[in-house]
Amino acid sequence: MIQHLKPHDYLSMPWKNGAGTTMEIARDQQQGLDQIGWRLSIADVQQSGGFSVFQGLQRIISVLKGQGFRLSVDGQLMPDLTPHSAYAFSGDAAVYCELIQDPIQDFNLIYDPLQFKARLQWLAINTPQQLYTDADVIFIFNASEQLQLHIGTQAYCLSEYDCVRIEKETGLQYISLASTISSRCCIVELVAI
């Protein structure tokens, strides 16, 4: 199964702690925010403050737009998180975010480590790139103006914040990425345990 998701498809919802809003790109079929297998989303962070707690889950976060932020995780200050870098932490942790300058947008993966292994990586697409993956669920998220994507024999043109979701049926999945301008995209791979 392949789905081409666009920003107008994303569901806007309040944060679990009520302090902001999230655009949910996709999630597994489980209901509620405390019992998810995985969820991919974009959040607008307008001011410094605490993160929601997701008991028993893991989180990976990246900055999409803005200068970035500093995280304090269980009282320990982490290095600044700047655009297109990622930081993984436990959803159980007490996390405080301090904006470096202006509001930011971030990109979030939340998943249950008892159900899935996860990998998130940012790629700079200056020349065509190919990859193979045998993950069960794969996302290609475009953070640039445009990106050309080939999955086997199928072609997609992704605009900014478009996302393609691939549910693998069998074997290795071949993916090709190209752009006529310097582009950034994020590859998220989830493997069922």
Side-chain angles (χ1 to χ4, degrees):
M1 177 193 80
I2 301 174
Q3 287 181 292
H4 184 175
L5 306 169
K6 296 176 177 286
H8 66 262
D9 299 320
Y10 305 158
L11 180 63
S12 181
M13 62 181 59
W15 290 352
K16 191 176 171 190
N17 67 9
T21 58
T22 289
M23 287 189 298
E24 185 177 87
I25 298 169
R27 74 155 71 192
D28 68 347
Q29 298 302 314
Q30 299 184 43
Q31 299 297 314
L33 291 178
D34 291 316
Q35 300 177 350
I36 59 174
W38 53 262
R39 183 179 85 155
L40 204 60
S41 63
I42 299 167
D44 291 308
V45 182
Q46 300 295 323
Q47 59 190 14
S48 300
F51 276 23
S52 302
V53 172
F54 288 89
Q55 292 287 338
L57 302 178
Q58 287 293 117
R59 298 184 70 173
I60 305 175
I61 192 168
S62 295
V63 175
L64 289 174
K65 290 185 178 174
Q67 295 292 313
F69 53 76
R70 296 177 188 96
L71 290 181
S72 170
V73 180
D74 288 333
Q76 183 176 357
L77 191 62
M78 299 294 123
D80 291 358
L81 194 65
T82 56
H84 308 119
S85 58
Y87 180 70
F89 59 99
S90 170
D92 296 323
V95 179
Y96 185 84
C97 160
E98 180 185 343
L99 296 176
I100 293 173
Q101 192 173 355
D102 298 324
I104 61 105
Q105 252 185 353
D106 64 30
F107 181 70
N108 297 276
L109 171 65
I110 301 174
Y111 67 98
D112 182 347
L114 299 178
Q115 296 183 56
F116 294 94
K117 292 181 184 177
R119 183 167 94 155
L120 181 152
Q121 60 181 323
W122 284 96
L123 299 177
I125 310 298
N126 301 314
T127 59
Q129 295 191 29
Q130 296 81 38
L131 61 103
Y132 290 90
T133 177
D134 65 351
D136 296 295
V137 184
I138 306 142
F139 292 96
I140 295 99
F141 175 80
N142 180 35
S144 302
E145 189 177 317
Q146 56 88 18
L147 180 71
Q148 285 82 47
L149 169 67
H150 285 82
I151 303 164
T153 59
Q154 298 184 53
Y156 300 87
C157 184
L158 277 60
S159 299
E160 185 179 45
Y161 288 10
D162 280 9
C163 186
V164 171
R165 173 182 174 179
I166 307 160
E167 300 252 356
K168 181 188 69 123
E169 294 177 7
T170 57
L172 283 175
Q173 189 72 58
Y174 171 71
I175 298 169
S176 172
L177 303 159
S179 180
T180 56
I181 58 173
S182 181
S183 297
R184 288 256 182 200
C185 72
C186 187
I187 311 294
V188 175
E189 297 167 276
L190 293 157
V191 177
I193 295 174

